[in-house]
Amino acid sequence: MAAKFLNGVRGACGTSRYSTRFEAPFLRAAPRKLLALIFSLLLSSCPKAEKTPASRDALILGFSQIGAESAWRIRNTQSVQESAKQAGIQLLFANAEQKQENQIKAIRSFIAYQVDVIAFVPIVVSGWDNVLQEARKAGIPVLVTDRKIDADESLYAGFIGTDSEKEGREAALFLLDKFAGRRKAGDLIRVAEFSGTVGSSVADGRAKGFRDIIEKEPEFEIFYSKSGDFMRSKGYELMRTLLENRPQIDVLFSHNDSMTLGAMDAMREAGLRPGEDIAIITIDAQQKAIDALKAGEVNCVIECNPNQGPLIMDIAKQLIAGGQTPRFIHVDEAVFREGDDLSVLPPRGY
Ligand code: AHR
């Protein structure tokens, strides 16, 4: 009975790898209520199996992605999917639609599936301890990718992702340079900050790195700081509302390109010239931001590298082979400034 029931789960999730695993004796003996619970958990966060040429012996990676809030995020997902295929790794992919509880459900379903490795992008820093302990109990190594967490380091195998504090420092360093003349003249330079998702390591890191430098310079004032959740629509709304009282805004420091593009729309609607009336520093380096930099509508673009898939697959393979893996890997990231020769920059791909 139990085996029949769980075969239904397997079919719903579109993978056949786990049939014998679900017929474990404890599950055969499990009461119906428990099985129903497992069924509903698996169904609600049902990970999508990628169609790969993987054999039954292929390594299985369960990956929990935040969602698709930005062009950057979509490229990050593609990078994971493409490199899993290239590495011959079978990918179980789950989109959490911006909800931590969906990520926790997905990780639990990966544990139930007994995948070989779990990787996830934590939407926020905290709240992962319990599910990571469950993974450890099941003997499944977990990789934290893109964003960081505040859990005990013994609960996960390593981190691969961006150095958000460095990104924030780069933004501040650009400003010191750009406003060197006005600083000398003793002018006050007023900065508005649009930050990312509240409680995420990238929003915290970018804000911290930026402040570590800018707050030592008395000519700068961060007079406004609000979260636009990394979304274009919210960047537009924040800027539209901010401009209603016509405050003096010298600089927009935006934690990602999506919010920046929305903010630029609102500036244009208010008759302002982005990049001239308001200096703009943005993070991600998607193609549209690079194009705006070339057109003089953005002044500095700090790259946040979404192409993390190849490293994730490499480390996943090393973990399974029992090799020593680095605890923290920061991906390479560049800074593009106004005046740089960008004519040879290859298309960004996102
Ligand atoms: O975690 C990386 C951030 O998340 C990127 O800057 C942003 O665009 C994304 O949504």
Side-chain angles (χ1 to χ4, degrees), residues 69-70 72-73 146-147 202 206 230 255-256 284 304:
E69 73 281 5
S70 62
W72 189 98
R73 181 65 55 206
D146 177 27
R147 301 183 182 178
V202 273
R206 288 167 188 176
F230 287 126
H255 286 199
N256 89 339
D284 275 0
C304 176

Side-chain angles (χ1 to χ4, degrees), residues 47 79 88 107 116 126 155 160 163 173 175 292 304 314 350:
S79 170
I107 294 171
D116 298 297
S126 51
L155 289 175
I160 300 163
D163 186 345
L173 290 173
L175 279 188
C304 176
D314 271 10
Y350 61 105

Side-chain angles (χ1 to χ4, degrees), residues 257-295:
D257 291 346
S258 296
M259 292 187 295
T260 304
L261 294 167
M264 287 166 68
D265 288 342
M267 286 180 202
R268 289 191 201 96
E269 276 177 25
L272 293 168
R273 293 165 305 172
E276 284 191 42
D277 297 320
I278 299 176
I280 299 179
I281 301 154
T282 181
I283 299 179
D284 275 0
Q286 73 176 74
Q287 189 62 52
K288 282 185 179 159
I290 295 292
D291 291 344
L293 178 65
K294 286 182 186 166

Side-chain angles (χ1 to χ4, degrees), residues 7-16 18 22 39 41-50 92 109 113:
N7 276 341
V9 176
R10 190 189 69 221
C13 289
T15 175
S16 60
Y18 310 99
F22 278 133
F39 180 83
L41 280 176
L42 290 175
L43 208 60
S44 60
S45 58
C46 193
K48 214 172 73 202
E50 293 298 300
L92 295 184
S109 75
Y113 277 164

